[in-house]
Amino acid sequence: MGDFRNDSLDQLHADLEAANLAPTWLYVSEFVSKQPRVSYRPWLWRWDNVLPLLMRAGDLVTPERGAERRSAEHVNPDLRPFYSTSHTIATAVQLVRPGETAPAHRHVAGAIRFAAQSKGGPVYTRVQGERLMMEENDLLLTPSWTWHEHRNETDDDIVWLDALDFPLVNLLQASIFEPGEGQVCPELGDDFSRNRLGLYRPAGWGGYPNGQPVVRYPWVEMRAALEAQRHEKGSSFDGIILEYVNPLTSGSTLPTLSCRAQLLRPGEHTLAHRSTASTVYFVIAGQGATVIAGTEFAWAKGDVFVVPTWAWHEHRNGDSDGLLFSITDQPVLESLGMYREQALEELGGRQVVVDHFSP
Ligand code: GTQ
Ligand code: FE2
């Protein structure tokens, strides 16, 4: 930085850069973009491709301390360095074989499990000392910093879908992980939380970490609740859709992740919308397609697909009931005042299909 009498804009730009400063007047649209800049595409993982790989891991990998879990993460090809499915959500399929225990640990990242393939019986995640049984399509929560271990005391394999917020936690550079040793919390009776979330609790009970309750949501109840609404109009974007509720706050399941189940009726074709939230879907039952940003993603039972932030999407169901489970980061955007949503106004609210997805 020398003689200011001969100063020039070029010289100023060079000097700003050398001083680790940036001229907003050049880059304002980089800093504050007009539309979300989304760095990854929609993707789909077919159950028929994923399951055989997980079963091979069943023969070659044991969920011991250190390895911790036998699960395969759904890695978006555009998010490889972060191993995540959307920019905030990581889902995985996990296998626990008969007699196995995946050891206790806890982490700042919050997680949910959705029992994709279970024959029922004594197979559970023990969360803060409480056994949460996993019947098929049940949802269970392991909120941030709760101790959790998985155990299968049945004669059948169990496979479930994990969803964690670790990509968001890592973006915030706030991840902490702690392995458990032996009995990390006192054993509580089964369904302790289910029975105690209401009016009564043991005097002196220490409460939940961060006030986040340990909950199991039985599928039979959710399925019945969806069925009860079958003949209602529902959402023009989502058919009959219900959100799982945190019974203490009546907000989302976790502060970072909301879970939903939806019923698409035979032949139902919804309208396209988009939002500043990203969503990962798991197909519980049925056959259909979701058009995401102009590409048609055909789906069937067990498939997992991701709708990135700001991507137009609409569902086109086949001729039987379509049942979708989904996990969205919408509560993050909402709690920060950043949630925006749009309906597609052109073309009667539906996209033009320009491509069909194949991996
Ligand atoms: O089951 O606790 O897929 O901690 C990734 C991290 C599962 C688990 C994953 C985990 C778990
Ligand atoms: Fe975990």
Side-chain angles (χ1 to χ4, degrees):
M1 274 188 246
D3 188 345
F4 297 114
R5 284 167 309 176
N6 294 318
D7 206 2
S8 71
L9 200 51
D10 284 349
Q11 188 59 52
L12 174 61
H13 290 162
D15 292 344
L16 282 168
E17 186 172 330
N20 292 309
L21 294 166
T24 307
W25 56 87
L26 286 187
Y27 301 124
V28 63
S29 62
E30 290 278 313
F31 303 155
V32 186
S33 67
K34 290 192 172 135
Q35 296 279 303
R37 271 192 307 229
V38 179
S39 63
Y40 58 102
R41 45 189 146 159
W43 200 258
L44 181 144
W45 293 261
R46 281 190 209 299
W47 184 250
D48 291 345
N49 293 339
V50 170
L51 193 63
L53 292 165
L54 185 63
M55 296 322 269
R56 277 168 63 193
D59 293 331
L60 296 169
V61 178
T62 49
E64 285 160 352
R65 173 62 75 223
E68 302 294 306
R69 298 298 185 254
R70 185 196 289 114
S71 51
E73 309 280 333
H74 297 109
V75 181
N76 190 298
D78 295 325
L79 297 173
R80 272 191 188 284
F82 314 108
Y83 295 104
S84 66
T85 315
S86 85
H87 64 311
T88 54
I89 304 167
T91 64
V93 282
Q94 181 162 167
L95 167 64
V96 182
R97 310 209 92 163
E100 283 181 343
T101 302
H105 65 210
R106 63 178 175 178
H107 31 71
V108 167
I112 66 97
R113 334 264 159 210
F114 190 81
Q117 218 171 63
S118 170
K119 298 223 166 90
V123 52
Y124 53 85
T125 296
R126 189 190 297 281
V127 189
Q128 290 294 120
E130 178 174 350
R131 297 192 309 169
L132 301 180
M133 299 295 170
M134 286 205 236
E135 303 209 4
E136 193 149 287
N137 298 331
D138 284 354
L139 168 65
L140 11 143
L141 309 186
T142 52
S144 178
W145 213 237
T146 52
W147 292 108
H148 53 283
E149 71 180 8
H150 310 305
R151 179 144 178 80
N152 183 353
E153 294 173 7
T154 73
D155 297 328
D156 301 296
D157 290 339
I158 181 164
V159 176
W160 67 74
L161 182 78
D162 292 305
L164 287 89
D165 57 16
F166 73 67
L168 177 67
V169 175
N170 288 339
L171 175 75
L172 299 174
Q173 306 190 359
S175 179
I176 303 170
F177 171 96
E178 205 173 272
E181 289 300 333
Q183 193 65 41
V184 287
C185 35
E187 283 198 32
L188 298 173
D190 292 352
D191 283 334
F192 173 87
S193 291
R194 183 179 175 76
N195 297 333
R196 307 296 151 144
L197 282 175
L199 300 175
Y200 314 103
R201 67 178 60 132
W205 174 58
Y208 299 105
N210 301 319
Q212 291 298 310
V214 166
V215 185
R216 164 178 177 248
Y217 301 88
W219 174 244
V220 284
E221 293 177 9
M222 175 54 100
R223 183 73 187 86
L226 289 169
E227 197 56 43
Q229 295 196 24
R230 172 183 293 277
H231 300 292
E232 306 209 353
K233 185 170 175 294
S235 155
S236 52
F237 305 113
D238 285 303
I240 304 297
I241 184 161
L242 291 173
E243 185 173 18
Y244 293 85
V245 172
N246 175 325
L248 291 186
T249 65
S250 67
S252 54
T253 42
L254 298 181
T256 49
L257 300 176
S258 173
C259 297
R260 296 165 181 162
Q262 72 194 87
L263 166 66
L264 299 168
R265 291 154 289 191
E268 185 157 6
H269 186 172
T270 66
L271 300 180
H273 69 161
R274 66 180 180 181
S275 78
T276 52
S278 64
T279 305
V280 182
Y281 290 84
F282 170 79
V283 182
I284 299 169
Q287 275 193 315
T290 298
V291 182
I292 313 171
T295 296
E296 185 173 282
F297 289 75
W299 44 252
K301 182 175 160 63
D303 292 351
V304 168
F305 59 95
V306 55
V307 175
T309 298
W310 216 232
W312 295 112
H313 57 283
E314 72 204 57
H315 306 294
R316 196 161 48 66
N317 189 30
D319 45 23
S320 59
D321 283 349
L323 288 164
L324 302 177
F325 171 75
S326 59
I327 309 113
T328 172
D329 59 8
Q330 189 174 325
V332 177
L333 286 298
E334 280 178 339
S335 60
L336 298 174
M338 297 177 189
Y339 185 71
R340 299 289 185 280
E341 196 178 337
Q342 283 182 350
L344 185 63
E345 290 185 350
E346 307 91 65
L347 303 164
R350 297 218 172 100
Q351 302 163 84
V352 177
V353 176
V354 293
D355 202 3
H356 291 80
F357 175 78
S358 56

